[in-house]
Structures are given as structure tokens and as C-alpha cells.
Amino acid sequence: MPGTVAERRSRWLLIAVLGLQLLLLSAQAQTDGGSSRLEVVFVRSVAPFSRAVTATTGFVESLGRGARLRSALEEENRELRAEVARLRASRVEALGIEQELERLSIALEYSAVPRGSLRVADIVYIDHASWLQTLLLYVGDVPVVRNQAVVGVDGLVGRVVVAPSPYAKVQLVTDRAASVGGMVQRTRRQGVVRGSSSGSLDFAYVPLQADVRVGDLVVTAGIDGIYPRGVPIGTVVEVKPGDELFHEIRLTPAVDFGVLDQVYVLDRIPVPEEVKETDADAGS
Amino acid sequence: MPVVRFVLGLAAVVVLHFVGAQLSTDLPRLLDLFLILVVVYAVGGDLLVGILVGMAAGLTTDAITGGLYGLHGFADTIVGYGSAYAAQRLVIRRPFGVFLMFALASAAQQAILVGLVVMLLAEPALPGLTWTLARVAATGVVGLLFMLIRRRTLSRFELWKRTRTSRLK
């Protein structure tokens, strides 16, 4: 094919370049796709672009996420501020009722059980999945004693069973061996709350004629010498007539043990052992 | 200077390719920006430029995509040369002609790639006809748009330069 010198040169260059590339390709095809130095050079040259683009798009995405998160947080902040205002108002109302109660108590010479104080403790280990249902707390230098109540923000957690300072082992309310004096908040009907193997709670010894409904809140009755009155234990999720004289009531615990990271140990004057009724007293 | 401009253009195409891949995994399958770059350079009519630009852009494509290294290098070298050869002999000014040039370049590239894969591999994975047609059309449209924008920008720049020169006089 006739042409200028430049054209002929270009044609020879094209043949050479294509020949070299064909050699490169056939070598790879024979070795089942091994990488050549040329490929390594090109990949190394291109890889930083990929990283830069990925990093940039990641940054842009994070900016977008940040903006969305910010608007969500602003919304949540508004809601929380409104809730704080509501809670402040109800606190003022509750303080008024409390003061009135105190005045009435003084007038009636009523000796209420001291409420005690709360102490925050970090959870070191929690086993709510197995049948052991225990919790290990770090309580620091201030010692705790057996049978001190442990509560969470949402309700009752359990009681201290072993207290090797600075740790304390807590029996969860869902433990099968645990039992708590409870009462239906709506009707004040009392019974005994026990742990069950399924992770829920049984509310026993509630007579068939007692009014218990699904959705009722069961709180501590304050009659077992361990737990103060009024701490939420759980909500009634099932009520069935039992075989004998009592209802079969199932509760879902007020506390979600799966999200616990801190609890409160209740410091209060324990009921002296000598005044507690023993089996021997009951028999005599 | 033209080499630096080409390297910068190639780098921009690499960035655009990765950005496209981040936006949609189908975008790199649909559009070969490297081929558009090759044709854009080759339409200058210089055969040597066509060969070298085709080879460089093709090997860069091979570095990004999987498969045998050099497949796109081989195909784009031929397309670069062919486009430059065609540009020497044809005057392509009308939009449909420009579209056809990019689309044919894409079709030729696909045909060469398929031929190579069939020759070199025992069990070749061939692209579907729909995707191939879509790729040809997309390359044609994007190439045409690029050329129109480029032409308009260059003419405006020329006008601005002329106005500026006449004011100085």
C-alpha cells in the first residue's frame, strides 16, 4: 500500500505494537493469566486514583450522613427538650404531693421505711442468656452486703448474693431461684414474682378472683425485707386460670438485660436477721 | 506539552471511571470513557498519536478491568489508528457523523475484543448483545456531546482571544 514516509512508519509501528501486545496476551493465555511487569506498572499507576476516589466519595458520603444525622439529632433534641419541660412540670407536681404526704405522715406520726440512697455501679459481666442468670458488678471501695437491691433505670434488676469487694455478684430477678414480693400497681393485689427458664417471670399466688389484666404493671410490694416498694418488676403479658386456686400469670421483665451497662445499688438499712421469721419460728 | 495534556486527560478519565463505578456498577459496562478519549485524540488525524494514545488508554483500561492484560490495549490501538486514518480521509463535522464515528469505534472495539477472547481463551465469557448495543449507543452519544461542547468552548475562546487582541491594538 503506497503512502508517505510518516504513514509507512506509523504502519510499521502499529504492527510492532500490536505484535508485542499479542505476545503479551498469548503469554498470559498460556500461563493462565499470570501478571506481567507492564501490568504491575499500570496497576500501580492507576491504584492511587481508585483509593483517592473511594476516599473522596467516602468523605462526601460521610458529610451527607453527618448532615442527615445532624437534622435527626436536632429533631431528637427538640423532642427531648419538650420532654424535659414536661418532666420538670410533673416533678414540681410530685414534690408538692410529697410535701403534702410528709405533712400528713407527721400529723399521723407515721414512720415510713427510709428510702436509702442509690449508688451507680458498672457491670463487668452479665449472663442473662444461660440458666445461671447472674451479673457481676464493680462497686469500688465502698463495700456492698448480701441482699442489697440492684435496680436499673427501667426497674428491678436483682439482689446482691455474693460481695467479694470490689466486686458484687447479683442474682437477676429472672433467675429461676429468685423470688420477689410483687403487687399489681393498679389493684395493689400482692403475689410472688419468680424467675422462669424462658427469661420471662411468673407471678404466683394471685387468687382466681383477683382482677389482673394483660398490660398491668407489677411492682415490688416491699414486703420481703430486701426490695423497696414500688420498683417496676414487669408487665403482665398472659393471664390464664390455673389448675388450683390461683391465676397463672406471665410477666415480661421491665428491664432489658441485653442493653444494661450500668445499674444502681440501693444502700438502705437491711432488716436485721434476728427479726426475720425463720422456719423454726413458723413451726413453734 | 501535548503529552502532559494527554496524561492529564487520561488521569481525568480514570477519576471519572472510578466515580462512575462508585455511582453505579453498571456505568463502566455501559460507557468506555477511555475509548472516547482515544477517538477524541485520533480525530486530529495523526496516525502516530492514534496508535500511542490507543495503546496507553487501552493498557490503562486493562489495569482497571479484569481479564487478560493487553486486550483493551490491542483493541484500542487498532481503533486509535483506524480513527486517525479515517479522520485523514473524511471530513466529519455534522453531529450524526460524529455520533457515528464514536459508535463505530465502540463497535469495532467490541468486535476486536470478542475476537481476541475467542482466540485466546478456551471458555470465553462474551458480552450480551443488549449490553453491547447499549454501550455502542452510549459511547456515540457521550462522544458527540463531548465534541459539541468542546467545539463550542473552543470557538468562544477563539472569539474572546480575537476580541482581546483587537482591543489591545
Side-chain angles (χ1 to χ4, degrees), chain A residues 110 113 183 188 190 219-223 227-232 268:
Chain A
Y110 169 61
V113 180
M183 65 178 175
R188 318 301 283 179
Q190 292 182 358
V219 297
T220 50
I223 53 167
Y227 304 105
R229 188 184 300 155
V231 181
R268 63 200 291 250

PDB file of all heavy atoms in Angstrom, chain A residues 110 113 183 188 190 219-223 227-232 268:
ATOM      1  N   TYR A 110     -46.598   8.765 111.360  1.00  0.00           N
ATOM      2  CA  TYR A 110     -46.292   7.593 110.524  1.00  0.00           C
ATOM      3  C   TYR A 110     -44.781   7.488 110.311  1.00  0.00           C
ATOM      4  O   TYR A 110     -44.123   8.447 109.926  1.00  0.00           O
ATOM      5  CB  TYR A 110     -47.007   7.744 109.178  1.00  0.00           C
ATOM      6  CG  TYR A 110     -46.593   6.752 108.115  1.00  0.00           C
ATOM      7  CD1 TYR A 110     -46.768   5.379 108.311  1.00  0.00           C
ATOM      8  CD2 TYR A 110     -46.055   7.182 106.915  1.00  0.00           C
ATOM      9  CE1 TYR A 110     -46.407   4.478 107.324  1.00  0.00           C
ATOM     10  CE2 TYR A 110     -45.684   6.291 105.927  1.00  0.00           C
ATOM     11  CZ  TYR A 110     -45.859   4.930 106.145  1.00  0.00           C
ATOM     12  OH  TYR A 110     -45.489   4.037 105.170  1.00  0.00           O
ATOM     13  N   VAL A 113     -40.538   3.652 105.936  1.00  0.00           N
ATOM     14  CA  VAL A 113     -39.233   2.981 105.788  1.00  0.00           C
ATOM     15  C   VAL A 113     -38.283   3.937 105.072  1.00  0.00           C
ATOM     16  O   VAL A 113     -38.659   4.519 104.049  1.00  0.00           O
ATOM     17  CB  VAL A 113     -39.396   1.681 104.962  1.00  0.00           C
ATOM     18  CG1 VAL A 113     -38.054   0.969 104.804  1.00  0.00           C
ATOM     19  CG2 VAL A 113     -40.419   0.773 105.605  1.00  0.00           C
ATOM     20  N   MET A 183     -46.627  -6.741  93.534  1.00  0.00           N
ATOM     21  CA  MET A 183     -48.051  -6.420  93.576  1.00  0.00           C
ATOM     22  C   MET A 183     -48.458  -5.730  92.279  1.00  0.00           C
ATOM     23  O   MET A 183     -47.639  -5.070  91.623  1.00  0.00           O
ATOM     24  CB  MET A 183     -48.382  -5.524  94.762  1.00  0.00           C
ATOM     25  CG  MET A 183     -47.766  -4.153  94.709  1.00  0.00           C
ATOM     26  SD  MET A 183     -48.302  -3.202  96.142  1.00  0.00           S
ATOM     27  CE  MET A 183     -47.362  -1.706  95.950  1.00  0.00           C
ATOM     28  N   ARG A 188     -53.191  -3.177  93.683  1.00  0.00           N
ATOM     29  CA  ARG A 188     -52.411  -3.443  94.896  1.00  0.00           C
ATOM     30  C   ARG A 188     -52.480  -4.918  95.313  1.00  0.00           C
ATOM     31  O   ARG A 188     -52.131  -5.273  96.430  1.00  0.00           O
ATOM     32  CB  ARG A 188     -52.852  -2.571  96.107  1.00  0.00           C
ATOM     33  CG  ARG A 188     -53.151  -1.137  95.804  1.00  0.00           C
ATOM     34  CD  ARG A 188     -52.008  -0.395  95.220  1.00  0.00           C
ATOM     35  NE  ARG A 188     -50.978  -0.010  96.181  1.00  0.00           N
ATOM     36  CZ  ARG A 188     -49.857   0.645  95.849  1.00  0.00           C
ATOM     37  NH1 ARG A 188     -49.651   0.958  94.576  1.00  0.00           N
ATOM     38  NH2 ARG A 188     -48.972   0.961  96.765  1.00  0.00           N
ATOM     39  N   GLN A 190     -51.292  -8.491  95.859  1.00  0.00           N
ATOM     40  CA  GLN A 190     -49.927  -8.987  96.048  1.00  0.00           C
ATOM     41  C   GLN A 190     -49.773 -10.436  95.605  1.00  0.00           C
ATOM     42  O   GLN A 190     -50.742 -11.200  95.583  1.00  0.00           O
ATOM     43  CB  GLN A 190     -49.522  -8.843  97.513  1.00  0.00           C
ATOM     44  CG  GLN A 190     -49.381  -7.380  97.928  1.00  0.00           C
ATOM     45  CD  GLN A 190     -48.943  -7.222  99.365  1.00  0.00           C
ATOM     46  OE1 GLN A 190     -48.767  -8.213 100.085  1.00  0.00           O
ATOM     47  NE2 GLN A 190     -48.765  -5.993  99.796  1.00  0.00           N
ATOM     48  N   VAL A 219     -45.204  -4.189  90.409  1.00  0.00           N
ATOM     49  CA  VAL A 219     -44.089  -3.514  91.083  1.00  0.00           C
ATOM     50  C   VAL A 219     -43.750  -4.269  92.365  1.00  0.00           C
ATOM     51  O   VAL A 219     -44.513  -5.133  92.816  1.00  0.00           O
ATOM     52  CB  VAL A 219     -44.444  -2.039  91.410  1.00  0.00           C
ATOM     53  CG1 VAL A 219     -44.684  -1.245  90.144  1.00  0.00           C
ATOM     54  CG2 VAL A 219     -45.633  -1.958  92.348  1.00  0.00           C
ATOM     55  N   THR A 220     -42.599  -3.931  92.937  1.00  0.00           N
ATOM     56  CA  THR A 220     -42.227  -4.585  94.187  1.00  0.00           C
ATOM     57  C   THR A 220     -43.203  -4.159  95.290  1.00  0.00           C
ATOM     58  O   THR A 220     -43.614  -2.991  95.356  1.00  0.00           O
ATOM     59  CB  THR A 220     -40.792  -4.212  94.605  1.00  0.00           C
ATOM     60  OG1 THR A 220     -40.668  -2.801  94.555  1.00  0.00           O
ATOM     61  CG2 THR A 220     -39.765  -4.845  93.697  1.00  0.00           C
ATOM     62  N   ALA A 221     -43.540  -5.138  96.150  1.00  0.00           N
ATOM     63  CA  ALA A 221     -44.505  -4.842  97.212  1.00  0.00           C
ATOM     64  C   ALA A 221     -43.817  -4.295  98.455  1.00  0.00           C
ATOM     65  O   ALA A 221     -44.459  -3.689  99.320  1.00  0.00           O
ATOM     66  CB  ALA A 221     -45.284  -6.113  97.546  1.00  0.00           C
ATOM     67  N   GLY A 222     -42.517  -4.518  98.545  1.00  0.00           N
ATOM     68  CA  GLY A 222     -41.779  -4.027  99.720  1.00  0.00           C
ATOM     69  C   GLY A 222     -42.061  -4.833 100.970  1.00  0.00           C
ATOM     70  O   GLY A 222     -41.976  -4.308 102.083  1.00  0.00           O
ATOM     71  N   ILE A 223     -42.402  -6.128 100.785  1.00  0.00           N
ATOM     72  CA  ILE A 223     -42.775  -6.952 101.943  1.00  0.00           C
ATOM     73  C   ILE A 223     -41.768  -8.078 102.191  1.00  0.00           C
ATOM     74  O   ILE A 223     -41.983  -8.920 103.054  1.00  0.00           O
ATOM     75  CB  ILE A 223     -44.183  -7.564 101.760  1.00  0.00           C
ATOM     76  CG1 ILE A 223     -44.254  -8.308 100.420  1.00  0.00           C
ATOM     77  CG2 ILE A 223     -45.259  -6.488 101.861  1.00  0.00           C
ATOM     78  CD1 ILE A 223     -45.464  -9.189 100.283  1.00  0.00           C
ATOM     79  N   TYR A 227     -36.330  -5.631  98.916  1.00  0.00           N
ATOM     80  CA  TYR A 227     -36.606  -4.612  97.896  1.00  0.00           C
ATOM     81  C   TYR A 227     -37.546  -3.536  98.427  1.00  0.00           C
ATOM     82  O   TYR A 227     -38.497  -3.846  99.156  1.00  0.00           O
ATOM     83  CB  TYR A 227     -37.246  -5.272  96.667  1.00  0.00           C
ATOM     84  CG  TYR A 227     -36.410  -6.395  96.087  1.00  0.00           C
ATOM     85  CD1 TYR A 227     -36.768  -7.718  96.278  1.00  0.00           C
ATOM     86  CD2 TYR A 227     -35.258  -6.108  95.368  1.00  0.00           C
ATOM     87  CE1 TYR A 227     -36.006  -8.752  95.756  1.00  0.00           C
ATOM     88  CE2 TYR A 227     -34.479  -7.135  94.836  1.00  0.00           C
ATOM     89  CZ  TYR A 227     -34.861  -8.455  95.044  1.00  0.00           C
ATOM     90  OH  TYR A 227     -34.096  -9.455  94.523  1.00  0.00           O
ATOM     91  N   PRO A 228     -37.293  -2.281  98.057  1.00  0.00           N
ATOM     92  CA  PRO A 228     -38.213  -1.215  98.467  1.00  0.00           C
ATOM     93  C   PRO A 228     -39.525  -1.310  97.683  1.00  0.00           C
ATOM     94  O   PRO A 228     -39.575  -1.974  96.646  1.00  0.00           O
ATOM     95  CB  PRO A 228     -37.452   0.057  98.106  1.00  0.00           C
ATOM     96  CG  PRO A 228     -36.571  -0.338  96.983  1.00  0.00           C
ATOM     97  CD  PRO A 228     -36.204  -1.775  97.217  1.00  0.00           C
ATOM     98  N   ARG A 229     -40.527  -0.656  98.140  1.00  0.00           N
ATOM     99  CA  ARG A 229     -41.827  -0.716  97.475  1.00  0.00           C
ATOM    100  C   ARG A 229     -41.834   0.149  96.216  1.00  0.00           C
ATOM    101  O   ARG A 229     -41.211   1.212  96.179  1.00  0.00           O
ATOM    102  CB  ARG A 229     -42.919  -0.229  98.432  1.00  0.00           C
ATOM    103  CG  ARG A 229     -44.324  -0.433  97.893  1.00  0.00           C
ATOM    104  CD  ARG A 229     -45.352   0.146  98.828  1.00  0.00           C
ATOM    105  NE  ARG A 229     -45.284  -0.493 100.151  1.00  0.00           N
ATOM    106  CZ  ARG A 229     -45.683   0.087 101.282  1.00  0.00           C
ATOM    107  NH1 ARG A 229     -46.142   1.312 101.255  1.00  0.00           N
ATOM    108  NH2 ARG A 229     -45.600  -0.546 102.426  1.00  0.00           N
ATOM    109  N   GLY A 230     -42.534  -0.340  95.203  1.00  0.00           N
ATOM    110  CA  GLY A 230     -42.818   0.498  94.027  1.00  0.00           C
ATOM    111  C   GLY A 230     -41.841   0.424  92.875  1.00  0.00           C
ATOM    112  O   GLY A 230     -41.977   1.200  91.924  1.00  0.00           O
ATOM    113  N   VAL A 231     -40.873  -0.474  92.943  1.00  0.00           N
ATOM    114  CA  VAL A 231     -39.934  -0.580  91.812  1.00  0.00           C
ATOM    115  C   VAL A 231     -40.565  -1.490  90.746  1.00  0.00           C
ATOM    116  O   VAL A 231     -40.971  -2.612  91.056  1.00  0.00           O
ATOM    117  CB  VAL A 231     -38.581  -1.181  92.269  1.00  0.00           C
ATOM    118  CG1 VAL A 231     -37.615  -1.272  91.089  1.00  0.00           C
ATOM    119  CG2 VAL A 231     -37.986  -0.375  93.400  1.00  0.00           C
ATOM    120  N   PRO A 232     -40.662  -1.031  89.498  1.00  0.00           N
ATOM    121  CA  PRO A 232     -41.278  -1.874  88.458  1.00  0.00           C
ATOM    122  C   PRO A 232     -40.534  -3.194  88.275  1.00  0.00           C
ATOM    123  O   PRO A 232     -39.305  -3.213  88.182  1.00  0.00           O
ATOM    124  CB  PRO A 232     -41.184  -1.020  87.193  1.00  0.00           C
ATOM    125  CG  PRO A 232     -41.035   0.369  87.670  1.00  0.00           C
ATOM    126  CD  PRO A 232     -40.278   0.286  88.954  1.00  0.00           C
ATOM    127  N   ARG A 268     -29.463   0.829 101.835  1.00  0.00           N
ATOM    128  CA  ARG A 268     -30.504   1.082 102.844  1.00  0.00           C
ATOM    129  C   ARG A 268     -30.261   0.159 104.034  1.00  0.00           C
ATOM    130  O   ARG A 268     -29.546  -0.839 103.924  1.00  0.00           O
ATOM    131  CB  ARG A 268     -31.908   0.887 102.259  1.00  0.00           C
ATOM    132  CG  ARG A 268     -32.212  -0.526 101.779  1.00  0.00           C
ATOM    133  CD  ARG A 268     -33.354  -0.535 100.809  1.00  0.00           C
ATOM    134  NE  ARG A 268     -34.608  -0.218 101.422  1.00  0.00           N
ATOM    135  CZ  ARG A 268     -35.592  -1.103 101.597  1.00  0.00           C
ATOM    136  NH1 ARG A 268     -35.451  -2.350 101.235  1.00  0.00           N
ATOM    137  NH2 ARG A 268     -36.719  -0.736 102.153  1.00  0.00           N
TER     138      ARG A 268
END
